Amino acid sequence: MLVLLNIGCDQVTKEVVRNTIAPMEYIAFLNDRFILTNVENTGAMLGFGENLSPILKRILLQGLPIIVLLILLFRILKKPNIDRWLTLAFAFVIGGGIGNLIDRVAHGSVTDFFQIKWGFFKTGIFNMADVSVSLGILIIIFMSFRQQKPAL
């Protein structure tokens, strides 16, 4: 259910952006700290791989994510007693991954629309799928540190 909620939130926000914000439009809030825009990213995160050949893009940005998402899904379904936090983390990663994959297949690019600038801190332009994947990875990292027992 959480996977579907992540996909839905991602796809709805992207559709709203595509229909209401012109490409490359710049809408600033709170003294330019929060920016809404509409950018089509044909590469991966932060434009990585944007200049790859079409076949290599398809392999790296569509094929590889499908394999990774299937492995994650298989791991969740195979383990009956998986930790709740780990299940939550995997749901965020899978939901966000599928959200961006839908864009790549349906539109040939991923719609990114949000940026944060706070003092020296500045993010790249991202979307809700990116937030889901990042949050899921942070939970996985936190859980891996929490579960490690110090060697005596």
Side-chain angles (χ1 to χ4, degrees):
M1 183 67 172
L2 188 56
V3 170
L4 295 176
L5 189 60
N6 274 279
I7 295 168
C9 180
D10 174 64
Q11 290 299 299
V12 166
T13 55
K14 288 175 182 172
E15 192 62 27
V16 167
V17 166
R18 284 186 206 108
N19 291 328
T20 58
I21 300 174
M24 303 304 289
E25 186 176 352
Y26 185 95
I27 303 169
F29 297 95
L30 294 175
N31 297 325
D32 275 352
R33 289 189 174 129
F34 299 99
I35 292 95
L36 282 176
T37 188
N38 181 352
V39 176
E40 292 300 321
N41 181 357
T42 60
M45 190 167 99
L46 302 175
F48 170 77
E50 214 165 28
N51 298 322
L52 294 174
S53 69
I55 189 72
L56 204 49
K57 257 191 208 182
R58 187 163 280 162
I59 291 168
L60 292 176
L61 302 180
Q62 291 179 16
L64 189 60
I66 289 172
I67 292 168
V68 170
L69 292 171
L70 287 173
I71 289 169
L72 286 174
L73 190 57
F74 178 75
R75 287 202 57 177
I76 288 173
L77 295 175
K78 189 176 177 197
K79 291 189 174 192
N81 297 329
I82 193 166
D83 181 270
R84 271 191 211 170
W85 283 101
L86 211 48
T87 302
L88 179 74
F90 282 151
F92 277 120
V93 171
I94 292 168
I98 291 172
N100 277 342
L101 193 55
I102 289 170
D103 274 23
R104 287 187 203 294
V105 172
H107 303 285
S109 62
V110 173
T111 302
D112 290 330
F113 57 87
F114 195 64
Q115 185 176 33
I116 300 170
K117 295 179 182 177
W118 203 288
F120 66 89
F121 177 77
K122 178 182 172 185
T123 67
I125 302 170
F126 58 94
N127 59 46
M128 293 309 296
D130 299 334
V131 171
S132 292
V133 170
S134 298
L135 184 58
I137 290 171
L138 286 173
I139 293 170
I140 291 168
I141 290 169
F142 176 77
M143 292 301 296
S144 68
F145 283 123
R146 195 179 122 222
Q147 292 177 353
Q148 288 180 357
K149 306 269 191 250
L152 297 177

